[in-house]
């Protein structure tokens, strides 16, 4: 595991939150604001918003998150499963710690439990398939549940089952861990966990997790670049313009071709 005295590598990842008005269609949505200032480990925006619904879109350039091919993996690999004194298989403490981190990431409403919807975000990420209601019923019968939701202990039990079904072969566990951004030393190097906090004066905001819409995110990113600074024509190409956004934590550029194609 990584040295606990050192800040995790993902703390250096640039992040931002775009706030867009929630129109009836994507075309109706408009960028309202986005975080630019940073307070310790938090990216912050403070201001006034009219009453209504908004899409909160997390963003990172990903420049510090490098995808590693299997050919680049180190020969070193931590153990995920071990045999106890009684000969039974168990998860290592290092793996349990990482699984606990993953549990917190996919627990979108922060209630300490995983609903079927939350668990399916995890399943889609790691296996590409959803857990249907019948499979969820099997989970209820075999793993620790509360209020029809999977507990942290139940999540550990589910991963334990994957290890014991193949006599301790960690192949499936590694698929899960690598899909969530961990390397073979159980360091989070290909993903950046985040938490969105919203504070309002005089009212209690209501938040609902939704699947990320890449088209809406691209729309917000482009608007954040073009709305601040004027465009410069590319030398020798009067119809090609470059917009550049320079902030404290990122520099982004957008190239626009103004030629009308008939």
């Amino acid at each position: 595991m990584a040295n606990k005295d050192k800040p995790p590598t993902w703390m250096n990842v640039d992040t931002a939150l775009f706030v867009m008005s929630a129109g009836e269609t994507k075309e109706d949505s408009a960028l309202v604001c986005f975080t630019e200032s940073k307070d310790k480990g938090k990216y912050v925006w403070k201001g006034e918003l009219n009453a209504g619904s908004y899409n909160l879109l997390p963003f990172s350039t990903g420049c510090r998150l490098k995808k590693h091919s299997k050919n680049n993996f180190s020969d070193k690999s931590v153990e995920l499963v071990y045999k106890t004194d009684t000969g039974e298989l168990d998860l290592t403490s290092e793996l349990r710690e990482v699984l606990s981190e993953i549990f917190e990431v996919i627990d979108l409403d922060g209630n300490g439990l995983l609903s079927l919807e939350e668990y399916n975000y995890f399943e889609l990420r790691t296996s590409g398939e959803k857990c249907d209601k019948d499979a969820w019923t099997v989970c209820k019968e075999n793993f620790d549940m509360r209020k029809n939701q999977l507990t942290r202990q139940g999540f550990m039990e589910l991963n334990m089952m994957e290890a014991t079904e193949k006599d301790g072969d960690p192949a499936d566990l590694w698929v899960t861990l690598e899909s969530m951004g961990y390397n073979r030393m159980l360091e989070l190097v290909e993903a950046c966990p985040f938490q969105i906090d919203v504070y309002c004066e005089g009212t209690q905001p209501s938040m609902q997790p939704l699947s990320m819409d890449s088209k809406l995110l691209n729309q917000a990113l482009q608007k954040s670049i073009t709305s601040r600074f004027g465009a410069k024509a590319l030398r020798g190409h009067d119809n090609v313009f470059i917009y550049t956004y320079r902030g404290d934590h990122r520099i982004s550029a957008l190239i626009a071709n103004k030629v009308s194609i008939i």
Side-chain angles (χ1 to χ4, degrees):
M1 293 288 288
N3 188 342
K4 293 183 180 297
D5 295 331
K6 294 176 60 178
T9 54
W10 47 260
M11 285 295 290
N12 294 323
V13 174
D14 64 292
T15 58
L17 185 73
F18 296 117
V19 180
M20 297 193 74
S21 60
E24 294 184 3
T25 66
K26 294 182 181 69
E27 290 71 22
D28 295 332
S29 298
L31 179 66
V32 178
C33 57
F34 59 98
T35 56
E36 293 186 89
S37 60
K38 187 175 183 180
D39 180 13
K40 297 180 180 178
K42 299 179 180 180
Y43 290 85
V44 182
W45 179 84
K46 183 178 181 181
E48 294 186 6
L49 294 174
N50 295 326
S53 298
Y54 297 89
N55 290 312
L56 308 180
L57 307 176
F59 166 78
S60 172
T61 63
C63 61
R64 294 180 181 272
L65 302 175
K66 296 182 180 179
K67 183 69 177 177
H68 297 280
S69 68
K70 291 184 178 180
N71 295 331
N72 292 333
F73 279 136
S74 170
D75 293 335
K76 294 183 178 180
S77 179
V78 301
E79 294 293 330
L80 301 182
V81 180
Y82 73 101
K83 283 191 176 182
T84 65
D85 294 338
T86 60
E88 296 179 343
L89 292 171
D90 199 0
L91 306 179
T92 63
S93 59
E94 291 88 354
L95 176 58
R96 288 182 178 275
E97 182 178 337
V98 167
L99 290 175
S100 185
E101 291 176 0
I102 292 175
F103 182 91
E104 292 179 4
V105 168
I106 59 180
D107 178 18
L108 298 179
D109 59 11
N111 69 344
L113 301 168
L114 297 182
S115 66
L116 176 57
E117 183 181 20
E118 289 172 328
Y119 181 72
N120 272 335
Y121 286 131
F122 168 73
E123 279 293 308
L124 287 171
R125 176 72 180 181
T126 56
S127 70
E129 298 179 356
K130 284 188 175 183
C131 173
D132 58 28
K133 291 184 178 180
D134 291 338
W136 193 244
T137 299
V138 174
C139 287
K140 290 171 61 177
E141 296 171 351
N142 292 277
F143 309 121
D144 190 42
M145 288 265 196
R146 192 187 320 144
K147 300 178 181 179
N148 197 34
Q149 299 182 80
L150 193 65
T151 66
R152 190 184 300 259
Q153 177 59 31
F155 185 65
M156 294 290 178
E157 294 169 354
L158 189 153
N159 284 278
M160 182 66 195
M161 183 195 71
E162 286 193 2
T164 56
E165 276 187 340
K166 296 189 175 181
D167 297 325
D169 184 351
D172 288 346
L173 290 173
W174 278 122
V175 169
T176 296
L177 295 168
E178 290 168 4
S179 297
M180 295 300 293
Y182 290 86
N183 64 15
R184 290 296 174 115
M185 295 303 294
L186 293 185
E187 298 167 325
L188 187 58
V189 294
E190 296 182 24
C192 177
F194 63 87
Q195 176 177 315
I196 299 175
D197 294 318
V198 177
Y199 302 94
C200 294
E201 293 182 2
T203 186
Q204 183 65 32
S206 174
M207 296 180 65
Q208 179 181 357
L210 299 171
S211 297
M212 177 62 75
D213 188 319
S214 58
K215 183 176 180 180
L216 201 60
L217 179 59
N218 287 335
Q219 181 180 331
L221 175 60
Q222 292 176 19
K223 193 62 177 178
S224 73
I225 298 171
T226 59
S227 62
R228 293 300 181 87
F229 304 98
K232 291 185 178 180
L234 187 63
R235 183 180 299 175
H237 298 81
D238 295 338
N239 293 314
V240 179
F241 295 87
I242 300 179
Y243 296 84
T244 304
Y245 165 80
R246 291 181 174 85
D248 292 337
H249 312 290
R250 68 176 169 94
I251 298 176
S252 301
L254 182 145
I255 300 177
N257 188 344
K258 299 294 185 178
V259 176
S260 298
I261 300 177
I262 301 177

